[in-house]
Amino acid sequence: MLVFFPVIDLTAYIGLFLVAFGAATILPFQSEPVLVGLLLSGKFSVAGLIAVASLGNVLGAVTNWVVGRFIDRFHDAKWFPVKAASLERASGWYRRYGRWSLLLSWMPLFGDALTVTAGVLREPLWSFVVLVTLAKTGRYLALTAATLGTQAVLGL
């Protein structure tokens, strides 16, 4: 019976990664309830959960950047992952505030449009990854602090 516990733990981390990845793309996923549930179970490393969720969410955002970078000419197509109005609003923010607007990439819906817009407007991948990582990891840290309390997050 003990043999199955590591497999279950690995499955939980993989599931969190996949949900966090999907939540950063056009898929209708929400990673927050999954993270909160795993945090409250007390069975998993807090730092590990934050790292896995952040990595999945950032890689999902990079997927959006790639979509914007290479298929921006199809933005009027019905299958395009971001609605034209959202893309235009995000483009306005991006043109006004530049790459710093990526610090809002954690926001639902609007953040996805920002990450696609960054690709369309040719934001360099290195700066995109740095700013999106700060934003998305910050959100997961705040959610973890709200769920477990600041002492648990800081390891005090």
Side-chain angles (χ1 to χ4, degrees):
M1 190 81 163
L2 291 175
V3 174
F4 295 108
F5 287 121
V7 173
I8 291 170
D9 290 352
L10 182 61
T11 303
Y13 284 111
I14 291 170
L16 176 60
F17 175 86
L18 293 173
V19 170
F21 180 91
T25 65
I26 61 166
L27 300 173
F29 290 175
Q30 288 188 335
S31 59
E32 294 84 359
V34 176
L35 177 60
V36 167
L38 292 172
L39 287 167
L40 292 176
S41 76
K43 297 178 183 179
F44 303 95
S45 159
V46 172
L49 291 173
I50 293 168
V52 166
S54 297
L55 179 63
N57 215 237
V58 169
L59 289 177
V62 168
T63 301
N64 287 347
W65 179 88
V66 169
V67 166
R69 178 81 182 205
F70 294 106
I71 62 172
D72 61 320
R73 62 185 170 271
F74 300 113
H75 72 276
D76 290 328
K78 289 184 180 183
W79 56 266
F80 192 71
V82 179
K83 300 291 181 210
S86 293
L87 187 57
E88 188 55 41
R89 188 169 55 247
S91 294
W93 271 86
Y94 203 86
R95 285 187 180 101
R96 183 171 180 187
Y97 298 107
R99 65 177 45 135
W100 301 109
S101 62
L102 289 170
L103 293 173
L104 298 175
S105 63
W106 61 269
M107 295 176 62
L109 299 175
F110 180 73
D112 297 343
L114 272 174
T115 58
V116 172
T117 300
V120 170
L121 297 177
R122 306 289 193 239
E123 178 65 36
L125 184 59
W126 72 268
S127 57
F128 175 86
V129 170
V130 168
L131 291 169
V132 168
T133 298
L134 287 172
K136 293 184 177 277
T137 302
R139 179 202 44 206
Y140 287 126
L141 284 168
L143 178 62
T144 300
T147 302
L148 300 179
T150 305
Q151 288 181 335
V153 174
L154 297 176
L156 302 174

